[in-house]
Amino acid sequence: MNKTRIPVPQLPRSMPEKQGIQSSAISAFLNRVTESQLGLHSFMLLRHGHVVAEGWWAPYSPERKHMLFSLSKSFTATAIGLAEAEQLLKLEDKVISFFPEEAPGDPDPHLAEMNIRHLLMMGTGHTSDTMPEMMNEAEGNWVRAFLQLPVDREPGSHFLYNTGATYMLSAILQKVTGQTLLEFLHPRLFSPLGIINPVWDSCPRGINTGGFGLSITTEDIARFGQLYLQKGLWNGKQLLPQEWVAEASALQIQNGDGKPDSGDWSQGYGYQFWRCRHGLYRGDGAFGQFCIIMPEQDAVVAITSGTHQMQEVMNAVWELLPALNDTQPELEQQASAAEQLAGQLRSLSIMPPNIRSFSALESAVNGQTYRLESNDLRIDSLAIAFGDNEARLTIQGQPDGYQEIILGRGQWAASQVRLMPGPAAADAIMSSFTWTAEDVLQLTLLMVEQPFIITLEIRFSEQSLTLTQSANVGMEAQEPVTIKGMSLV
């Protein structure tokens, strides 16, 4: 597959009022996001097929891919819809029929009954997410691990958000096509939509993870949402069957009481899409990755974030709905409101901390190497060298050996280093440093293709230091990690 990024025609752009939205309503949304500190990285609003507002909180930028986490699931389901349309499989096909070698010899009746539709609707009958057990399988055979787990309830009778189920969709697709999910989607979805060089993680056996691991740009997310809004039609061609879009976005299984005051996690589930209040639906991923489709409003919202306040992000979007419910095809533009919105969108940024630019301690610790005690971060030693406008943090550890991170003095500086586990050779980060006290150095590492911001606080004391690492978001609540170190001098 060609890995060179080539120019792709953008979605058409328009002023908000030309598509029946007041600029002031979008400004109010941005103010709400800022005041509530919701941690957005990007935002794109489409109305009537036109981008009417778009912004990236610098140093995030339009051309960068962003990790989608479970928003990947909606793309995996789309692949199943395409495969069904090509008669490569049927939703009633039993899961174990694809994997006779990995399935138990005498399968439990519930397992034997489980079909592709149950995987799609998160109704497998499991009572806990299967993915942790699958990822811990000694031989990396995630399929076998899934099929060996107990299925306690009748498939289709019980909703359980189960990332392992989405992986099984990817595994089934690869079984019937001989292609990975990524390869299968390239000519059928990604290329027609203009999604160039998407990246998708794989399991140890080369099957795309399905339920997570896809990285694409914000505009790519918006294109995907627009395809569903247009009921599978794109540039005059029916890429997805209209019937599939209707099924995937409809209520397939209950996951709550469905009452408006119950929030957006209890409105029901389709085929790897969540139902929302207000008659909307969405794909979403951990830490605030959203593709929200608004059929009645003829609108799509694409968002990337680094937040635990996902419901609050949706609440902020719902506050836009009155402006989107206006049926006038075009509104009179207020020049001042349009200028204010344009200025807001241009000035979006995540500012690097800048408490104290300098410390007299810099000369004393400059270039010194500190040996760290044994730690879960697997860092053996570190050193910091200071310059006029930047510092260089060098780390020695496992499994990546020597690494260097460039940090701007009160400003962002770019580096490529390996900070997070995964298949990528290096992570793109923007980093800065500031002194919070005469003897306390704070380093901020912003991972511009992921939701994570890592903060390292280094407290110096004579010939020793104490390093404390924390992060803005994580899958589980984690206490900061504290490590002590001694100078080798």
Side-chain angles (χ1 to χ4, degrees), residues 82-83 86 88 179 183-192 239:
L82 290 165
E86 295 179 26
L88 298 172
Q179 295 179 298
E183 291 167 341
F184 179 81
L185 283 177
H186 176 67
R188 296 167 173 85
L189 181 74
F190 292 135
S191 183
L239 297 185

Side-chain angles (χ1 to χ4, degrees), residues 73-82 84 91 117 120-122 224 228 231-232 240-253 268-276 280-283 293:
K73 291 179 168 69
S74 302
F75 289 81
T76 302
T78 301
I80 296 297
L82 290 165
E84 182 193 35
L91 301 194
R117 193 184 305 276
L120 285 165
M121 69 169 64
M122 296 295 188
F224 179 70
Y228 268 82
K231 301 180 180 179
L240 263 177
Q242 184 171 333
E243 297 78 14
W244 168 264
V245 173
E247 278 192 48
S249 60
L251 175 67
Q252 295 293 339
I253 190 169
Y269 199 75
Y271 292 159
Q272 310 285 294
F273 283 97
W274 295 89
R275 296 291 307 169
C276 305
L280 318 177
Y281 67 99
R282 72 186 190 277
I293 296 101

Side-chain angles (χ1 to χ4, degrees), residues 202-244:
S202 298
C203 77
R205 300 204 166 197
I207 300 169
N208 290 141
T209 48
F212 59 95
L214 177 62
S215 293
I216 55 176
T217 69
T218 305
E219 185 158 342
D220 293 339
I221 299 170
R223 292 169 186 270
F224 179 70
Q226 188 67 27
L227 173 69
Y228 268 82
L229 183 66
Q230 294 170 179
K231 301 180 180 179
L233 188 67
W234 191 263
N235 289 339
K237 183 179 180 181
Q238 196 73 38
L239 297 185
L240 263 177
Q242 184 171 333
E243 297 78 14
W244 168 264

Side-chain angles (χ1 to χ4, degrees), residues 427-454:
D427 298 305
I429 66 169
M430 301 294 285
S431 307
S432 70
F433 75 95
T434 186
W435 292 89
T436 60
E438 193 71 20
D439 60 345
V440 181
L441 180 65
Q442 180 178 306
L443 316 179
T444 304
L445 315 180
L446 189 154
M447 305 180 71
V448 287
E449 295 177 348
Q450 302 180 31
F452 306 107
I453 301 175
I454 296 172

